[in-house]
Amino acid sequence: MRYPHGIALHRDNIYVTDYWTHAVLHFKMKQQIRHVATFGRGRGSSDKQLNYPLGLTVSTDGDVFVADCDNHRIKILDPSLRFKRHVTHQSMKKPRDVKLTRDEMYVLCDDSPCVRVFSHAGEMTRSLVTRGDGMQVSNAQFFCLDAEQNLLISDIGAHNVKIFSKDGTCLDTVGQRGHGRGMLYQPRGVALTKDLNLVIVSNNKNFRLQIFSCK
């Protein structure tokens, strides 16, 4: 791997996007972690290629959904990283991250509104969260969903994590610009613990993980 970016887990499988080699790597976790497959044959736009992949997620049946950023689409692979299909839409500009619920696919794009919601079949149902200052998103990077489908979006422009309801209303912010305790500087990845009590943020320019309580 040259520049690992997104990571997703499913049972004993680990999937990682490599931004610079335009690939997705599949590892198995058992007694030890071993590499079992790679998807991607150099940078490109064919079914077997990626163009700067970023975030990814895994469905309940094990399919891998990859934000194929510079191809402006979501690429769907089976659990063994064989190509299945693409999801494309004229409004899907440079997708950075993707998350799934039982019925919907949320895509974070480099555009405004920056969140597009699709059915799993690829039909867009709505747009959420405009770009801007204050209670909007300045420069969205990655996101996660909680049990109520609230969105937690890392914002490197505002140096915080913003929390939006499923209708796009900003509910709260986490962190502020700085280098001290509870502060963030260009946050990237964001995740919730399984019990939904902690928000974990990869704090890029502070060279650490920052953990916040949801209580």
Side-chain angles (χ1 to χ4, degrees):
M1 288 185 286
R2 289 181 56 193
Y3 195 70
H5 219 95
I7 185 168
L9 306 178
H10 184 255
R11 297 174 183 164
D12 63 347
N13 300 289
I14 306 173
Y15 299 96
V16 182
T17 57
D18 192 323
Y19 185 76
W20 287 123
T21 62
H22 313 281
V24 176
L25 291 85
H26 177 199
F27 299 87
K28 283 281 190 182
M29 288 186 299
K30 289 193 176 177
Q31 287 81 9
Q32 59 184 2
I33 297 175
R34 61 185 179 89
H35 174 239
V36 294
T38 298
F39 176 90
R41 296 186 177 179
R43 181 184 179 188
S45 59
S46 75
D47 290 349
K48 295 182 179 180
Q49 291 178 304
L50 295 161
N51 195 352
Y52 295 113
L54 289 169
L56 76 167
T57 194
V58 184
S59 67
T60 54
D61 59 2
D63 286 343
V64 183
F65 288 62
V66 184
D68 191 3
C69 184
D70 278 15
N71 281 328
H72 310 285
R73 65 194 181 192
I74 302 299
K75 188 182 289 287
I76 302 173
L77 312 173
D78 75 8
S80 298
L81 298 188
R82 292 183 290 256
F83 172 75
K84 294 186 74 172
R85 60 188 176 93
H86 296 124
V87 175
T88 60
H89 193 275
Q90 61 185 6
S91 70
M92 195 185 291
K93 180 182 178 182
K94 288 185 175 291
R96 298 191 57 84
D97 202 2
V98 56
K99 296 291 182 284
L100 301 174
T101 66
R102 184 179 65 180
D103 301 314
E104 293 182 311
M105 176 176 68
Y106 288 70
V107 180
L108 183 68
C109 296
D110 187 15
D111 200 1
S112 184
C114 63
V115 177
R116 311 297 166 97
V117 186
F118 301 84
S119 68
H120 285 195
E123 179 182 353
M124 194 175 84
T125 58
R126 62 192 185 279
S127 299
L128 306 169
V129 186
T130 56
R131 294 185 68 169
D133 297 325
M135 301 303 280
Q136 299 171 314
V137 170
S138 172
N139 191 343
Q141 291 295 296
F142 295 95
F143 78 109
C144 65
L145 296 168
D146 70 11
E148 298 176 353
Q149 296 179 29
N150 296 317
L151 296 93
L152 289 77
I153 302 176
S154 60
D155 188 344
I156 66 168
H159 307 280
N160 60 24
V161 173
K162 291 188 171 73
I163 303 173
F164 293 88
S165 66
K166 61 183 178 182
D167 67 1
T169 301
C170 188
L171 303 174
D172 202 356
T173 62
V174 175
Q176 58 181 309
R177 180 174 179 167
H179 305 287
R181 182 182 176 88
M183 294 181 171
L184 299 170
Y185 195 80
Q186 294 191 8
R188 300 282 179 162
V190 58
L192 282 165
T193 55
K194 189 174 182 179
D195 59 12
L196 306 180
N197 287 328
L198 298 175
V199 181
I200 304 173
V201 184
S202 59
N203 196 179
N204 189 37
K205 295 299 184 179
N206 280 338
F207 308 104
R208 67 190 182 202
L209 294 177
Q210 189 78 43
I211 301 175
F212 298 89
S213 173
C214 297
K215 295 181 179 179

